[in-house]
Amino acid sequence: MFADFLKRLTSPSPQPLADPDARLAVSALLVRVARSDGHFSQEERSKILDVLAHRYDLNDAEAETLAKDAEQLESEAPDTVRFTRAIKDAVPFETRITVIEALWEVVLADGGRDAAEDSLVRLVSGLLSVTDQESARARQRVSASN
């Protein structure tokens, strides 16, 4: 289903993603972090729907469609490094900080942090050129708002 998208994403010199593709890639990254601990909880999925609806100004049906596409893409997607590189190329730095905040929202949605989730957020932060300190501040902002 996403063969063309993945082909563009994994090319030796990928082009920057158009906005709909960037949305899908970010959404799939949210799914990847939720699945990274081996348990994709309903709380995490609900948080992803909330994040997508808020971030992209979507109604419930549109958020659900994007989430389903993201789940499918995540299952077919290449390694996290290539996947994240495409996001880095597609979004400005300020937006990358909000991507990290969204990842922390998903990680914290089920009430706890898992080592696999923490590790993936740390990897993605570095790949997006977001420092550990900036990621920690993003996590603190998310924790304070819950």
Side-chain angles (χ1 to χ4, degrees):
M1 176 176 178
F2 296 104
D4 181 55
F5 179 82
L6 291 171
K7 186 176 178 183
R8 287 183 287 131
L9 188 69
T10 60
S11 72
S13 53
Q15 297 297 310
L17 298 175
D19 186 55
D21 288 343
R23 283 183 183 193
L24 181 57
V26 168
S27 302
L29 190 58
L30 294 174
V31 172
R32 180 157 288 180
V33 78
R35 289 178 173 169
S36 67
D37 64 356
H39 178 69
F40 188 24
S41 72
Q42 184 56 46
E43 293 88 359
E44 289 168 325
R45 189 168 196 288
S46 293
K47 179 54 74 174
I48 290 171
L49 290 171
D50 290 345
V51 167
L52 297 180
H54 181 261
R55 182 179 190 89
Y56 301 120
D57 195 27
L58 304 175
N59 64 38
D60 291 345
E62 292 167 331
E64 180 66 36
T65 297
L66 181 54
K68 284 182 180 178
D69 288 347
E71 290 169 22
Q72 180 68 34
L73 176 61
E74 190 282 328
S75 68
E76 298 175 18
D79 64 271
T80 301
V81 173
R82 285 190 207 159
F83 201 47
T84 306
R85 180 181 62 196
I87 294 168
K88 180 181 178 188
D89 292 344
V91 298
F93 180 76
E94 298 77 24
T95 303
R96 287 184 251 150
I97 294 287
T98 66
V99 169
I100 299 302
E101 287 177 352
L103 291 172
W104 281 119
E105 285 185 65
V106 173
V107 167
L108 299 172
D110 58 5
R113 290 171 54 189
D114 178 85
E117 292 171 329
D118 280 355
S119 177
L120 184 57
V121 173
R122 188 163 193 206
L123 171 67
V124 169
S125 294
L127 293 170
L128 292 178
S129 298
V130 174
T131 67
D132 287 341
Q133 295 83 3
E134 291 164 324
S135 177
R137 285 192 292 275
R139 185 185 69 243
Q140 291 167 351
R141 284 190 297 275
V142 168
S143 294
S145 68
N146 287 338

